[in-house]
Amino acid sequence: MQHADAPLGLPFMKMHGLGNDFVVIDQRGNDITVSATLARALGDRHRGVGFDQLAVLDDVVGADIGLTFFNSDGSTAGACGNATRCVARFEMSRRGISALVLKTERGLLRAEDAGDGLTRVNMGAPLLEWRDVPLAREMDTLELPIEGGPTATGMGNPHCTFFVEDADSIDLASFGPAHEHHPLFPERTNVQVAQLVGDNHLRMRVWERGVGVTLASGSSSCATAVAAARRGLTGRQVRIDLDGGRIDIDWRDDGVWMTGPTAHVFSGHLTPEFLASL
């Protein structure tokens, strides 16, 4: 146990959106640069803190805040919708404002207080051309030449969505990695299995590249809603039921808006001993 007068290490926050959990490190004012090594150590649920993604906050020009994402295996992610909502909610509350702009690898993303404790984020326009997803060669992204005919969508990271009769019957532990590493996806891919359960209502489960099975995924939800609308299964406003709860997606002319809850679970400090061991 650290004594009360011992020096504190690097501060962090633990957050989640529908059970999709994150460690958030604010680099603003700290003299540490988060690396893949630190991300892997932190992501270990037995020897670190544990997370699906690590979100790193920075000061940037042209936006209220900058965000960089790491997966638990230390690889980077271009987008993470639930983490973006969590950070946006925290920063809006800290500043006493109801909207802000975040800069990610995906671009500039606008976030707003949606009322009733919910936060909405514009995740940008979906990427529908094969080279933008990206895929390994030219093809129609609506139905890939893979058994099950999935749809490919780019949301700042690649997604492969399978529409199935029963999403809960799929063994994601084997189905997910088999498709994450499919040769059509040179940067690997997130994998979703989705089932139409009602009008503009989907049930979806997620395998995230570099992570595994997760209770929710914001960018996966956006990609699945876009794929369902493109295939004529739904309109552009969709409710999605994930293992961790409900999220609402609205594919508008200005981008794909995602609305859902956030949670700040606790704050803490990484000890100097932990940091020195890396």
Side-chain angles (χ1 to χ4, degrees), residues 12-256:
F12 71 93
M13 297 179 286
K14 185 68 183 287
M15 297 179 167
H16 77 84
L18 299 172
N20 185 195
D21 65 329
F22 320 103
V23 164
V24 179
I25 292 178
D26 191 345
Q27 282 191 157
R28 298 173 295 182
N30 287 310
D31 59 357
I32 186 170
T33 299
V34 175
S35 65
T37 300
L38 175 56
R40 283 192 297 272
L42 269 178
D44 189 319
R45 294 188 183 274
H46 301 287
R47 297 177 175 87
V49 179
F51 57 75
D52 291 330
Q53 275 83 30
L54 168 65
V56 183
L57 282 60
D58 275 307
D59 286 317
V60 291
V61 176
D64 294 294
I65 192 169
L67 273 179
T68 304
F69 304 109
F70 290 85
N71 295 315
S72 57
D73 68 352
S75 62
T76 57
C80 184
N82 282 322
T84 301
R85 283 191 300 103
C86 285
V87 170
R89 169 57 65 178
F90 167 78
E91 194 70 4
M92 287 190 295
S93 297
R94 188 181 75 85
R95 298 188 186 196
I97 57 179
S98 59
L100 52 70
V101 175
L102 306 99
K103 186 176 184 179
T104 71
E105 184 180 311
R106 176 77 169 116
L108 297 177
L109 309 180
R110 179 176 173 82
E112 300 172 350
D113 181 351
D116 297 324
L118 303 177
T119 305
R120 70 168 63 95
V121 173
N122 183 351
M123 293 296 292
L127 305 173
L128 308 179
E129 295 297 323
W130 70 273
R131 62 174 54 85
D132 298 325
V133 172
L135 299 176
R137 65 178 190 270
E138 183 175 359
M139 67 188 68
D140 184 356
T141 60
L142 187 62
E143 190 167 339
L144 302 182
I146 298 174
E147 184 178 355
T151 297
T153 311
M155 287 300 309
N157 46 14
H159 296 271
C160 182
T161 307
F162 292 82
F163 292 97
V164 299
E165 291 296 321
D166 183 2
D168 290 296
S169 70
I170 303 298
D171 180 11
L172 270 185
S174 59
F175 189 85
H179 293 93
E180 175 188 352
H181 298 276
H182 194 283
L184 280 182
F185 291 91
E187 298 179 5
R188 299 183 293 164
T189 186
N190 298 280
V191 181
Q192 303 89 34
V193 291
Q195 167 191 355
L196 186 66
V197 294
D199 289 342
N200 299 316
H201 186 185
L202 298 168
R203 164 77 173 116
M204 185 189 82
R205 298 173 63 218
V206 183
W207 173 275
E208 287 199 83
R209 64 172 181 170
V211 180
V213 177
T214 57
L215 295 179
S217 167
S219 63
S220 291
S221 299
C222 293
T224 295
V226 168
R230 290 180 68 202
R231 294 178 78 131
L233 299 174
T234 67
R236 289 190 168 210
Q237 290 182 299
V238 181
R239 167 185 170 178
I240 299 181
D241 293 333
L242 300 135
D243 288 344
R246 170 181 175 173
I247 200 164
D248 292 286
I249 308 296
D250 186 2
W251 181 12
R252 305 178 191 172
D253 290 341
D254 64 347
V256 185

